[in-house]
Amino acid sequence: SSGLAVFKGNVTSNIAADYSSITLANGVNVTGDIKNVGDVNTGSLTLEGTSTISGVVGGDNAFAKVTTATGSTATFEGLVTTKTLDFNGAVNFVGGAEINDAVIFNGEQVLTFGATSALDGGINFDGNDGTITLDSTAGDATLTGAIISSGVGSIVIEGSNTFTIASTVGANGANVAIIAIESDSKAAFVSDVYANIMLLGSGGVATFDGDVFAKINGQTTNDGSLVFTGNNTITGTVGKTAALSSISVAAADSTTTFTDSVNTKTLILQGADGAVVFNDEVSVNDQVLFTAANQQATFTGNTNLAGGISFAGNDGTITLDSTKGDISFGGAINTSASSTTGTLEITGGNVTKITD
């Protein structure tokens, strides 16, 4: 039956809410589940301060609403299912969350997901400089739900496993402020990404299926790796203030296009019939190797390949295109011993100067 239950001391058993409103006073912890045993989207849970719940919240029948308190930290160690989250302060979904309505920031809060979560209404920073932390320490995880911003808000990826972001991040003209991929962490972006800046720590890896609109840098020089898995366009400088450790491009039957300058220690061409197009300056420290048949690399701006570029026995094509203006290409062009594979194409109506 419906009613209000207020718990002012720690609970070491399961709580069953039948159309009920459950309130935990500040500092109260629950060792057990808090389940809605009424109809789906009925009942509520309110945390008046800092609390930890060790079990699931909601269960098979989601609560109508879960509310957390300002200036507090709510920790949910099991899966949380609710129609609405009214969150204030910091919330840590260690066991993940399934939330139907939009999750909306109302201040500089921290929202942490430690397991696979589905947010049907997405997350909206709503003009607030909050933080979403995606922590894969416990294992690979996925966040589903668009992340909406207007030039503010941060996303931090940490943990040694892979956290997949399955929906769009930001939108055209509505970037997330910062995406930080911490050292030895892995993020996989399935859809397009819009951010003012993306920073990668040492050993951090970002994989992209969609397009990227962001300035991307290592936290320090030669930090972080980028992997492009499809037909990707990257709008924004890459490695301008701190070079990346490696960039993997030209996946099989796909084209990677950079609109702005690129600076990386290593450039990896990935698959057969893959292509990469650089529409601005390029700097690569290590030797660039063609790794499969029919790969193409096009350079349209000043290029410095300190380690040179080698067809390595593969029948690929290097195109130097001066259509936009005079260009300089620095880097030895090689093929394998006793091999005649590979094509060098020089095109465009301006001067192409090959310096090595």
Side-chain angles (χ1 to χ4, degrees):
S1 61
S2 62
L4 171 64
V6 179
F7 294 88
K8 296 186 177 181
N10 291 338
V11 179
T12 56
S13 65
N14 296 329
I15 299 173
D18 188 2
Y19 299 92
S20 301
S21 297
I22 306 297
T23 298
L24 304 183
N26 183 29
V28 170
N29 300 317
V30 176
T31 304
D33 300 331
I34 305 177
K35 288 187 175 181
N36 174 25
V37 296
D39 290 339
V40 65
N41 296 337
T42 62
S44 63
L45 172 65
T46 300
L47 278 59
E48 294 185 331
T50 295
S51 294
T52 298
I53 297 94
S54 70
V56 301
V57 170
D60 292 337
N61 294 337
F63 276 118
K65 189 176 187 178
V66 172
T67 302
T68 66
T70 302
S72 66
T73 299
T75 301
F76 300 96
E77 296 180 347
L79 177 66
V80 175
T81 56
T82 181
K83 181 178 186 294
T84 302
L85 174 69
D86 180 6
F87 82 104
N88 306 276
V91 181
N92 186 2
F93 292 108
V94 178
E98 296 177 359
I99 303 170
N100 182 254
D101 294 340
V103 177
I104 301 174
F105 281 77
N106 57 37
E108 296 182 4
Q109 301 146 290
V110 178
L111 189 59
T112 300
F113 297 92
T116 293
S117 298
L119 311 180
D120 293 345
I123 307 177
N124 192 339
F125 285 107
D126 200 29
N128 297 288
D129 195 19
T131 301
I132 299 167
T133 299
L134 306 178
D135 186 349
S136 68
T137 298
D140 292 347
T142 299
L143 177 70
T144 303
I147 299 175
I148 302 166
S149 185
S150 57
V152 296
S154 300
I155 301 172
V156 178
I157 292 94
E158 58 187 30
S160 58
N161 296 290
T162 299
F163 217 118
T164 298
I165 298 90
S167 306
T168 55
V169 176
N172 186 20
N175 294 357
V176 172
I178 299 173
I179 299 175
I181 300 170
E182 302 294 350
S183 296
D184 299 319
S185 299
K186 303 176 186 68
F189 296 92
V190 174
S191 192
D192 295 345
V193 176
Y194 297 81
N196 291 344
I197 190 165
M198 177 180 290
L199 297 173
L200 291 92
S202 175
V205 179
T207 301
F208 302 94
D209 292 347
D211 295 334
V212 184
F213 302 84
K215 296 177 180 178
I216 307 174
N217 292 292
Q219 289 183 355
T220 59
T221 300
N222 296 338
D223 275 356
S225 298
L226 308 176
V227 180
F228 298 98
T229 60
N231 289 306
N232 309 98
T233 297
I234 301 87
T235 302
T237 59
V238 177
K240 184 173 183 178
T241 61
L244 277 297
S245 174
S246 70
I247 303 176
S248 296
V249 299
D253 300 307
S254 301
T255 300
T256 311
T257 302
F258 294 92
T259 65
D260 298 279
S261 64
V262 174
N263 184 14
T264 182
K265 181 178 183 291
T266 303
L267 179 70
I268 301 168
L269 279 64
Q270 297 178 88
D273 299 299
V276 59
V277 177
F278 296 100
N279 283 309
D280 205 332
E281 297 181 352
V282 180
S283 179
V284 181
N285 184 71
D286 296 340
Q287 186 181 44
V288 179
L289 294 176
F290 281 69
T291 61
N294 301 319
Q295 292 177 324
Q296 300 179 47
T298 300
F299 302 90
T300 69
N302 292 333
T303 300
N304 179 26
L305 307 183
I309 186 167
S310 176
F311 290 108
N314 295 290
D315 193 17
T317 302
I318 298 169
T319 300
L320 307 182
D321 185 350
S322 66
T323 299
K324 296 188 297 181
D326 295 351
I327 63 172
S328 173
F329 183 87
I333 301 174
N334 301 305
T335 188
S336 298
S338 302
S339 172
T340 58
T341 58
T343 300
L344 173 63
E345 180 182 44
I346 300 174
T347 186
N350 295 289
V351 175
T352 298
K353 181 180 180 181
I354 302 175
T355 60
D356 283 316

